[in-house]
């Protein structure tokens, strides 16, 4: 990994680390909250392109977004669910396939039928530190 990539990942970690822990949405910058909400909305709406653009906004425009996806997959909560579970809940199969690689999924679920749901208009976000 080049030095510039390490610096950009470090800055991203620091910026997201500043909002992690028990602090909720009111404690981090409004623009970052809006970016996190955008990631949740696009994930639930099965919009891979715009979800990726929202993640790039968080990573300061760098092309290497894998570490940010991992951080979001482990720490971002959309209406109380982790990001991959949120996408799965709304039937967003394309974005779920991307996000499940970056999430730790500890739930076991048996489904007989897939219910289609529309993404919510209001999304509350929080970020928790990976344990």
């Amino acid at each position: 990994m080049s030095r510039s990539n390490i610096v950009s990942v470090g800055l991203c970690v620091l910026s997201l680390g500043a909002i992690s822990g028990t602090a909720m949405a009111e404690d981090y910058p409004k623009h970052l909250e809006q970016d996190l909400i955008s990631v949740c909305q696009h994930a639930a709406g099965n919009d891979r392109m715009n979800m990726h653009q929202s993640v790039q906004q968080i990573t300061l425009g760098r092309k290497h977004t894998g570490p940010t996806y991992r951080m979001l997959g482990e720490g971002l909560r959309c209406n109380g669910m982790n990001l991959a579970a949120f996408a799965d809940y709304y039937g967003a199969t394309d974005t779920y396939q991307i996000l499940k690689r970056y999430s730790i999924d500890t739930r076991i679920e048996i489904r007989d039928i897939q219910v289609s749901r529309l993404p919510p208009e209001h999304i509350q976000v929080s970020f928790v530190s990976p344990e």
Side-chain angles (χ1 to χ4, degrees), residues 22-104:
T22 58
M24 293 301 169
E26 65 270 4
D27 291 339
Y28 39 87
K30 197 67 172 168
H31 67 89
L32 185 55
E33 179 184 4
Q34 204 51 47
D35 290 341
L36 294 173
I37 290 170
S38 180
V39 170
C40 293
Q41 286 174 331
H42 295 305
N46 209 27
D47 187 347
R48 294 176 359 173
M49 179 70 74
N50 284 328
M51 181 183 72
H52 186 70
Q53 288 175 349
S54 295
V55 171
Q56 283 182 321
Q57 288 288 86
I58 295 169
T59 58
L60 307 173
R62 300 290 182 188
K63 290 184 179 182
H64 188 66
T65 57
T68 304
Y69 271 107
R70 177 145 330 273
M71 190 178 311
L72 294 173
E74 293 174 356
L76 181 60
R77 299 292 179 260
C78 307
N79 290 350
M81 293 181 260
N82 75 34
L83 187 56
F86 189 71
D88 186 39
Y89 181 80
Y90 288 100
T93 55
D94 293 341
T95 53
Y96 173 72
Q97 291 301 317
I98 293 168
L99 297 169
K100 75 178 184 178
R101 292 182 285 179
Y102 299 103
S103 299
I104 300 170

Side-chain angles (χ1 to χ4, degrees), residues 101-116:
R101 292 182 285 179
Y102 299 103
S103 299
I104 300 170
D105 192 10
T106 57
R107 66 188 167 97
I108 298 173
E109 185 175 342
I110 300 172
R111 290 189 197 184
D112 287 334
I113 24 181
Q114 177 96 9
V115 177
S116 179

